[in-house]
Structures are given as structure tokens and as C-alpha cells.
Amino acid sequence: MSQRDGNVQPFESIDERDLHAYVDGLLDAQRARQVQEYLKRHPDNLKQVEDYRQYNELLRQAHQDVAQEPVPMRLLSIVDRPRQSLWPSITRMAAVGALCVVSAGGGWLAAMQGGLGTSGDNGLVQNFLQQIATNTSAPFESMSVKKLDIQSGEQTDPLNWLTQKVALEMEAPNLAAAGYTMQSRRLITRGAQEFVELTYVNSSGDAVMLYMKTRWEKDAPTIEFVQKDDQSIAFWEEGPLVYALSGALDRERAVKIAELVRSSMTSVSTKPPQVQDIRVMPVTPSEPMQTTHGYRPQEPMAPAQLVPTN
Amino acid sequence: MELYWRLACPRVDKSYKAYKTVAGVFAFMKLTEQERREINWMISREIPALRRYAQTLLRGAGDKDDLVQDTLERAMNKVHTWRREGGIRSWLYRIQYTVFVNRYQSQMRRNEVTTEGLDQNESMAQYDKQDDRLECQRMLKALDQLKAQHSEVLVLIAVEGFSYDQAAQILNVPVGTVRSRLSRGREELRAEMQVTQLNEQPMQSRSGGQS
């Protein structure tokens, strides 16, 4: 294996290390494109990469059964056992959790405000929803929006920012079972407030946004459902996270997606085949965000047009 | 922080221990019941993955739940040393690997001759139920033929989804070593897979005989 330094190299300098990193989805988007170009001209390496990628997939499949076995009680009891000894120095953890909001369709905000009014005193959530509202309807110059998309490498994934905050390996919840696929990921900063926005789109073009944000308080560990007209909101807490799921969805569907988010966040993850995403996504430089109608920013990258559902 | 400390003062074990104790006491004082539940949840969430990786480490030569149990007990005892850098997942994997090296690896070497046949049968047996798992069987069989240090890296990256840097931290080796082990592991795997592809027919009949 030849040696090379870590800087971005010209096309010719692609070596075996890049091929392995490409297979594992660990290259940034620019380098991945260079590798793709390289592979077009080197069929031997292409075959090698395809083999390796197939092995990754086989390895994942072959190990999946173990991870899906029920966990023996003797292992769970170790973690659940009350401890008198020293406990983690995760003082920052104390203050950190995450709040996730899924919103679907236009007009969710009004319904949400109404709905939250009836939900009582979840000031935390209300606060955050207010933030999203001001964020998405206010001019975008007032905040920095780091536009990212799926083709971005791991280093720039806004979920990594959340991962650092909650010290939890974060992966985008897979909503494929509800017909939604990941469209884009963004890290939005407004003053001291930061949150991650994941956009999912289903086959008919309806968009669902999942917002995730760290929180500074944690109380009321109950699952709460709020419904007003056709809008429903479900809150629940799990581990260090609190979730709020809302949208122009009927209750049944909202619950279904909520369960999907829950299982997706609590199940053992295997690495998603990121490289396949890189292949299909068109290459476009990131542009400053602009918004023309309400909270919904234009998605310069989006293959499918985002259409309000209501 | 722990890592930085070790880099800065590799030999000052006493002061390091004192530092850890003080940090732990402060942490204990500040920790709430809520935080305990949070970290319990975060650790429990990783148990299935720890069992999965334990199987790779042990290669069928021991009870994976024993290894995970040792790992969890150690993790719960030294949870105050977790500094949130790198997330809890790689921290737990690192503990598991350390426990494995300290308590299981030498034992496995002694038993190597007797367990060599066993590990294949055990891992194969799970997949005999389904015909469409033939490829997975081949893969596991090929994986068993790899050197332990190669399969450890390969599974850590391909299955557990760690980056090379994280894998290097977990295995306590330089990242260059991870890359070269991965590279060699994949080459070996490719060779093994091509061999088993040629012998696929005999292998089918063998696995059929076991079930």
C-alpha cells in the first residue's frame, strides 16, 4: 500500500486506502467523487470495490441475527441494578437531551400552537416550536444555515453534532416502513440555538420534517397525545431524549411513525450503505438558503418537488 | 480527557489515579437519579451490539454473554471515567475489547486446537435453518479463516459501523494499523470467498448433513 499525506490529492493519487474508505462510506463527498471517476477508468478496482461492498453487506446480514436476539435478563440486570458506587461524570449530560419534532404539511404551526395550548404546560416543547416557527418564516439572513445533504460525508453530518451533544451515536431514523425516504439534512443555527432538520419525502411528494435539538431540562416522563382537527402531536421521552412528533397526520399514522422513530432510535444500528447514496445524488454546490413561501425553504438539491400536503 | 491525560503523562500513574478519583467524586456528587436512568438507558441500548461483537471476538470459543457480562460490570464500575468524548458506544466497545484481551484471549489460545472445529459448527448452525442464508454461511466460514486481528477490524468497521479512528481507539492501535489490517483482511476474505465459491457444492452437502 502506498503512502500519501492527508491532504486532498489530485485524481491520480487515489490508492487502496481511498478505495477501502470509499467502500466504508468514510470519504467526504469530494473525495468520493474523485474515487468514482477513478473507478470508471479502472475496471479491476471497480470489481474489487464491488466485491468489498458486497462483503460488507453480507457481514452485516450474517451478524444481524445475534443483535436481534432478546437480551438475557442477567445482562440487563447489571445495568438496571441500583448503584452506590461512583457515578458517571457526565455533568454536561445533565443538561442535555434532545427534542425532536416531526412536522408535516403546511399550517402545522397554527395547529401546533393551538394543540400545545391544550396540552398544558410543556413549555420546553412550546419554546422550541416557537423557535422553529420564527426560524422558518423569518428571513434566513439572520441565521446561518449549514446546508448539507446525504452525499455529505460523516464529518459534516449534522447528526454528528447531536451525537457530540448527547454522547449517543445518532443515526437518522429510518422511516422507509412508512413510505418516507431521507431527503436532506441541515444544521440550523440561530444565535445560541442550534437544531438539526431532517427532511423526509414519500412517493407522492409529501414532506415530513424531523427537528432535533438539545434541551436543558428534563421532566414529566410521560407519553402525551394531543389532537386538534387533523393535527396530532405525540410526546415521549426515551433515555436522554425527548421527542415531539407532530404533523398533518391522523392519530394512527402519527403513532405509527412515532413507534418507527422509537424503534429506529433504540434498535442496534448497522452502518447504512452511504456510498450508494453518493452515486445517485447529483452534484451541486451548496447555496445560501432562500425561502419563498412560509417556513419551507427551497431545496436546490431535491430531486422531488416538496409540496405542502394540506 | 482521559486520552489526553495519558498522552501527556504516560508514566505518572499515581497522579492519574488521583485525578480520576477526584473527578469521580465530583461526578458522583453532581449526578442525579435522572442522569443515572439516562446512562442506564444508553448502555442497555448497546447490549445487543456488544453481544454481536463478542461473538466475533470469541469466534465461538466461549459464551458471548459471559464476555458481555464482564464488560457491563466493568463499565458500570468505571462509568465515572467516561468523558463523553467519542460517545458511549465506542467507550463500551473499548472496554469489551480490553476485557476480552485480558481474560479471554490467552484462554482461547490454550484451547485453540480443541475449539477450532467447534466455532465453525456453532456459527454455521444458526443459519442452517434458512436456505437463503447460504451466502451468509459462506461469509461466516470465510471470516473464521481470517486471522483474529483482521476479522476484529473488519467486523468493527463493516458491521458495527465505526470509523477508522474509532476502531483504532477501541483496539488501542494506531489508525494506520487499522487500515492495513482492514486491507489485508479484505484481501484474505476475498480469496476465501473465491475458494468457497468453487467448493460451494460440497459445502452445501456438509451443512445439510449437520442439520
Side-chain angles (χ1 to χ4, degrees), chain A residues 204-223:
Chain A
S204 52
D206 298 336
V208 175
M209 260 83 80
L210 178 71
Y211 294 95
M212 293 188 252
K213 172 188 180 298
T214 56
R215 65 187 170 76
W216 295 92
E217 294 293 335
K218 183 173 174 66
D219 49 9
T222 51
I223 299 175

Side-chain angles (χ1 to χ4, degrees), chain A residues 16 20 24 51 56 60 62 67 69 74 79 83 87-89 94 164-165 167 169 218 238 240 265 268, chain B residues 27 31 34-35 38-39 42 45 48 51 65-66 69 77 80 83-84 89 127 158 164 183 186 190:
Chain A
E16 205 186 337
H20 284 289
D24 296 319
D51 279 355
N56 271 9
R60 275 180 218 122
E69 287 171 8
R74 66 166 163 144
V79 180
R83 310 290 294 188
W87 261 83
S89 66
Q164 285 169 9
K165 287 285 181 186
E169 311 289 333
K218 183 173 174 66
E238 200 143 38
M265 299 300 276
V268 178
Chain B
L31 207 76
Q34 185 65 59
E35 289 156 357
E38 286 181 2
I39 195 168
M42 289 163 79
R45 186 175 177 261
R51 292 178 81 236
D65 289 330
D66 286 346
Q69 183 170 346
N77 282 331
H80 61 276
R83 294 282 181 277
R84 293 188 64 244
R89 188 152 186 254
Y127 302 103
Y164 299 158
S183 173
R186 281 201 170 123
R190 201 179 187 201

Side-chain angles (χ1 to χ4, degrees), chain A residues 125-194:
Chain A
V125 176
Q126 201 158 22
N127 227 343
F128 177 45
L129 297 181
Q130 206 72 49
Q131 266 176 37
I132 296 174
T134 44
N135 254 321
T136 46
S137 57
F140 270 76
E141 302 87 66
S142 63
M143 60 180 184
S144 75
V145 176
K146 206 170 168 186
K147 180 80 175 73
L148 299 164
D149 47 71
I150 308 176
Q151 68 175 338
S152 298
E154 202 176 41
Q155 275 66 32
T156 48
D157 191 333
L159 286 173
N160 283 1
W161 165 79
L162 206 57
T163 297
Q164 285 169 9
K165 287 285 181 186
V166 297
L168 193 64
E169 311 289 333
M170 300 287 298
E171 270 176 24
N174 185 354
L175 302 185
Y180 288 91
T181 53
M182 168 72 75
Q183 193 70 42
S184 71
R185 307 170 175 197
R186 297 194 303 157
L187 178 63
I188 299 174
T189 310
R190 187 189 179 85
Q193 301 291 340
E194 291 178 296

